[in-house]
Amino acid sequence: MPESPTVCPHCGAPIGPDVLICPTCHSPVDAAPPAPAPAADPAPDAPAADPPAPAGTPPARPARPAARRTALATPANPFAGELNRRLSRIAQWAEGAGPLGVEIPRLPTWAEEAARSSPNPEPWAEAVRGIERLAQRRIVEAFEDWEKRTKGRLTRLEAYAVDTRLEREQIEETLHAARTGDIAQAITTFQQVDRVVALKERHLDQARDELERVVALLRDMQALGVEPPQDPAYSADALEGELRAGKLAALKQQIRSLRLQAVNRLKSGLPRYIAEYGDFLIEERTHGVATELEATELARGAREFFRGHPEEGLRRLRALQQTHGLPPGRPGRSSAARR
């Protein structure tokens, strides 16, 4: 076939094969033609056309509706969330009611898993509600027993003029909340009442212990022949009256004062007693009586006193006197003294 004539790429005029500049438009023949004007942008609301699919490609599946995707994303069992809330509440009840000694029924682990994945959750929901009802009944019964015990404790506190009106009101509130199903509020009030009552009992017991210790100290002094600052029987009655009246601050002040007077008297009178008792043991040893254990106990009692534990020191010396007797010439010498 004959070759097609060469034309200018700019103006289209025929030119020779070796011509470098077009004789018509005077443009270089080897220059690239101007780029075409950009096409106008499509309308914003016009959908972009998909490129044609290659041959042999299966047709694309239509996109799923958004509502269908949302439905698939939700859990298959809507009871799962409610089950978790109920089981968590039962666990809190069991923990809070532990000090009451009540056992709360629990759903086994395998049953929890089955309930969460069951397509028919209503039977499991009824089972959990039954557990809640049983747990509430047991907790109410435990609170009723706690009410009886706590009111007995309050009666003892009231015998020592301790105000317990608020605690009695809170006990009634606890039982009312438990019976109406507000177990969480009942447990909270119960814990508060139990804590306050225990605190008041501890203060009373401490005062009672201090009273008994100082009276025992006076009695031990009297038994060992060291004159106490006050008659032990009188001191016991006077201090008990302060305790019964609920005057704990005044009681503790009197106990401190009485104990200080007793220790001051013991500092002057006890060393003489210990020396006399030591001579007594040495004399008995010269007569063939074994006194090693008694000498050891005498030394321990003296050491406890001079270390600042007068009650413990006198307790040991009093026990020694009761088992071995007093030295000759001491008032109240026991007939059990060995010769």
Side-chain angles (χ1 to χ4, degrees), residues 261-279:
Q261 296 176 38
V263 170
N264 288 335
R265 291 200 179 189
L266 284 169
K267 286 180 179 179
S268 59
L270 194 61
R272 183 171 63 253
Y273 170 84
I274 294 172
E276 292 178 359
Y277 209 98
D279 295 340

Side-chain angles (χ1 to χ4, degrees), residues 16-297:
D18 298 327
V19 175
L20 300 178
I21 296 177
C22 177
T24 304
C25 66
H26 305 287
S27 298
V29 174
D30 57 351
D41 293 337
D45 54 351
D50 293 334
T57 303
R61 295 181 180 179
R64 294 178 180 178
R68 175 63 176 166
R69 290 196 299 268
T70 304
L72 292 177
T74 57
N77 186 355
F79 177 63
E82 180 66 18
L83 174 67
N84 291 334
R85 287 191 293 271
R86 288 180 178 272
L87 294 178
S88 176
R89 180 167 57 190
I90 293 175
Q92 291 175 354
W93 291 359
E95 181 180 0
L100 293 170
V102 59
E103 294 184 2
I104 303 299
R106 306 290 292 272
L107 198 65
T109 304
W110 66 265
E112 293 182 16
E113 297 299 330
R116 290 188 179 95
S117 58
S118 174
N120 182 21
E122 185 54 34
W124 292 105
E126 182 58 31
V128 174
R129 286 193 287 268
I131 290 176
E132 288 180 333
R133 289 192 294 268
L134 179 58
Q136 179 181 353
R137 184 164 64 250
R138 290 185 179 180
I139 290 175
V140 170
E141 292 173 355
F143 274 134
E144 290 173 349
D145 293 339
W146 167 77
E147 175 195 19
K148 296 176 184 177
R149 296 193 306 270
T150 306
K151 284 187 175 180
R153 295 164 65 187
L154 296 182
T155 300
R156 175 177 175 263
L157 291 174
E158 290 164 354
Y160 292 90
V162 179
D163 187 8
T164 62
R165 289 173 295 178
L166 178 60
E167 287 73 34
R168 289 188 177 274
E169 293 177 1
Q170 290 177 326
I171 289 175
E172 299 301 326
E173 294 174 2
T174 301
L175 288 174
H176 176 73
R179 288 165 180 162
T180 56
D182 194 355
I183 302 298
Q185 180 61 40
I187 290 175
T188 300
T189 309
F190 146 71
Q191 292 172 341
Q192 179 180 355
V193 172
D194 213 44
R195 184 170 57 252
V196 172
V197 172
L199 180 62
K200 291 182 177 181
E201 287 177 332
R202 185 162 63 250
H203 288 167
L204 178 61
D205 292 341
Q206 288 175 349
R208 162 70 60 189
D209 182 64
E210 292 176 5
L211 185 156
E212 292 176 352
R213 288 176 62 186
V214 73
V215 171
L217 177 66
L218 299 179
R219 287 173 177 165
D220 289 342
M221 291 178 63
Q222 192 175 55
L224 297 180
V226 180
E227 186 66 23
Q230 196 174 84
D231 180 68
Y234 173 79
S235 299
D237 292 340
L239 296 177
E240 182 69 24
E242 295 291 321
L243 183 62
R244 291 281 178 178
K247 301 176 181 179
L248 298 185
L251 172 66
K252 291 183 178 181
Q253 184 176 359
Q254 291 183 34
I255 290 175
R256 284 194 297 268
S257 175
L258 194 57
R259 185 177 183 275
L260 180 61
Q261 296 176 38
V263 170
N264 288 335
R265 291 200 179 189
L266 284 169
K267 286 180 179 179
S268 59
L270 194 61
R272 183 171 63 253
Y273 170 84
I274 294 172
E276 292 178 359
Y277 209 98
D279 295 340
F280 171 51
L281 295 178
I282 293 174
E283 181 182 355
E284 287 203 330
R285 186 175 180 180
T286 59
H287 290 83
V289 179
T291 60
E292 288 80 4
L293 295 178
E294 288 78 2
T296 300
E297 193 63 21

